[in-house]
Every structure is written in C-alpha cells, then in structure tokens.
C-alpha cells in the first residue's frame, strides 16, 4: 500500500459515530437484554478500530470472482481520467441515495442499491489505486489522498462508506437516521476533496 499523511485541509478532530455491536469487540452480557451503546470516536481512532473491519464491509457486495493475480494488478488497466470519472459517478450515486432512500428511511432499498457490485462506489479502491500508482498526481497529492493503512482523505471515504453500509445492515433492525445521514454526507465531502485534488493536477 502507498503511504501518506494527513492533508492540512482536513480537521483531524472531526468525529464519526459508530455503533459498538458492529465491531469485533466482545463484551460479557449484562442481562438478557443487550443495550446498544453509541460511542463518539475521533477519526484517528476510527482508523485503528476499523482498518481490519472495512475490507469485510467493502467486500460484502457480490462481485465476480477474479484471477489469483488480479489483486496485484488492481487499477493497472484504469487510466487516471477514467478513475476520476468514476469518483464523480460515485458521488452522484450517493446523491441519489440521499434523495431517494434517506428521506423515506428506506434502509432496505438503500442496502439493496449499495449491494450492487457494479456501483462506482464499490470500486473506489481500484480507482484510487489507479490514481496513486499513476504519474498524473504529484507526490504531495498522493500523500493527501492516502490509503486506509496510511492516513489520508482516501481513508475517510473507506471509513465513512463502510460505516454507512454497516449501519444499514439487515441485522440492525433500527438504523439511526442521523448516523446514516452523516455517513452519506461525509463520504460525499471526502470524495469532493479527492476530486478537487485531482483537478489541481489537471485531471
């Protein structure tokens, strides 16, 4: 993975709400009824707590099987221009979610829509890889985007989108409206930042 640092334009103290039962942490049962607790954690903590969970969330959508060597070539056949176009479409897909499903609290419809492996949203990582391995971006821009393992605005996209999908999972009978709304908004904002970075590099 490409290593990168936090862009100066990002506020590291911004917060993201994550429902505890969605994490791999286990706690001894208190009574016959388990109470869901909501914890506010900062973005750095989110990365530490979710880095091992996000790949599972991201891969939950049905996608065609790939050859064994596909991972090493991820993004290698995607041009930087095509990658940026996909990021813009990803934002449009989130816009649709926020207008079509969110107002009606149609979490089932939202979940089914986001489960489509053909969505640009679900191909973020391969498009980001195409950008980060290309010569179209300068070194500083690549640092600003970063990855899930080395902090950057790209990690925000993965964390926030992963949190959105986790919140509307079928097992969660009562998704929190504000958490869903915030995750959609923050994912869109992060995509906007990446698109702006690409634009500053002539893409």
């Amino acid at each position: 993975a490409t290593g990168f640092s936090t862009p100066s334009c990002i506020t590291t103290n911004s917060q993201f709400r994550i429902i505890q039962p969605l994490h791999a942490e286990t706690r001894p049962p208190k009574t016959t009824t388990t109470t869901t607790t909501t914890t506010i954690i900062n973005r750095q903590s989110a990365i530490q707590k979710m880095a091992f969970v996000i790949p599972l969330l991201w891969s939950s959508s049905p996608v065609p099987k790939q050859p064994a060597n596909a991972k090493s070539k991820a993004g290698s056949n995607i041009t930087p221009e095509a990658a940026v176009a996909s990021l813009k479409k990803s934002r449009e897909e989130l816009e649709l979610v926020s207008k079509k499903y969110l107002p009606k609290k149609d979490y089932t419809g939202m979940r089914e829509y986001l489960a489509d492996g053909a969505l640009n949203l679900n191909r973020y990582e391969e498009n980001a890889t195409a950008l980060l391995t290309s010569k179209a971006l300068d070194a500083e821009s690549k640092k600003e985007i970063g990855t899930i393992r080395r902090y950057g605005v790209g990690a925000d996209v993965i964390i926030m989108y992963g949190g959105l999908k986790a919140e509307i999972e079928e097992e969660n009978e009562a998704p929190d409206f504000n958490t869903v709304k915030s995750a959609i908004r923050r994912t869109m904002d992060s995509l906007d930042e990446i698109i702006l970075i690409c634009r500053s590099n002539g893409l």
Side-chain angles (χ1 to χ4, degrees):
T2 309
F4 308 108
S5 60
T6 309
S8 58
C9 61
I10 308 260
T11 302
T12 56
N13 289 326
S14 62
Q15 297 177 328
F16 177 60
R17 303 175 67 235
I18 298 175
I19 302 301
Q20 289 297 95
L22 299 180
H23 294 279
E25 298 179 5
T26 57
R27 298 181 180 180
K30 296 180 180 180
T31 63
T32 56
T33 302
T34 301
T35 303
T36 301
T37 59
T38 302
T39 303
I40 303 296
I41 61 178
N42 62 37
R43 289 164 65 190
Q44 294 288 2
S45 298
I47 291 176
Q48 295 172 359
K49 293 173 74 64
M50 293 188 71
F52 66 97
V53 175
I54 292 300
L56 297 178
L57 295 172
W58 204 273
S59 61
S60 61
S61 301
V63 293
K65 291 185 178 180
Q66 298 180 331
N69 64 344
K71 185 176 181 180
S72 62
K73 296 182 180 180
S76 62
N77 61 339
I78 302 174
T79 66
E81 292 77 12
V84 174
S86 180
L87 294 180
K88 292 178 179 178
K89 290 179 181 177
S90 295
R91 194 191 185 287
E92 292 173 2
E93 290 164 353
L94 282 172
E95 192 77 48
L96 183 150
V97 167
S98 67
K99 292 180 178 179
K100 182 177 180 179
Y101 300 107
L102 184 62
K104 298 183 294 184
K105 297 184 180 180
D106 181 6
Y107 302 120
T108 298
M110 186 184 298
R111 181 172 60 251
E112 292 174 351
Y113 175 74
L114 295 178
D116 184 355
L119 285 182
N120 291 275
L121 276 166
N122 292 326
R123 300 204 307 271
Y124 167 78
E125 287 186 287
E126 60 187 89
N127 285 295
T129 297
L131 288 168
L132 296 174
T133 57
S134 75
K135 296 180 180 180
L137 300 183
D138 58 40
E140 186 60 30
S141 295
K142 291 180 180 180
K143 288 180 182 180
E144 289 180 358
I145 294 175
T147 67
I148 186 62
R149 297 184 183 280
R150 299 298 293 273
Y151 187 71
V153 67
D156 284 348
V157 174
I158 297 174
I159 291 171
M160 300 306 168
Y161 182 55
L164 167 61
K165 295 182 77 173
E167 182 65 22
I168 62 174
E169 281 184 341
E170 190 172 0
E171 290 76 9
N172 185 7
E173 297 180 358
D176 181 77
F177 177 84
N178 289 326
T179 298
V180 174
K181 181 179 179 180
S182 176
I184 293 173
R185 181 72 260 169
R186 288 170 184 254
T187 306
M188 292 173 67
D189 288 345
S190 298
L191 285 170
D192 282 341
E193 290 189 54
I194 296 175
I195 292 169
L196 185 61
I197 290 170
C198 293
R199 186 179 301 160
S200 70
N201 282 265
L203 292 172

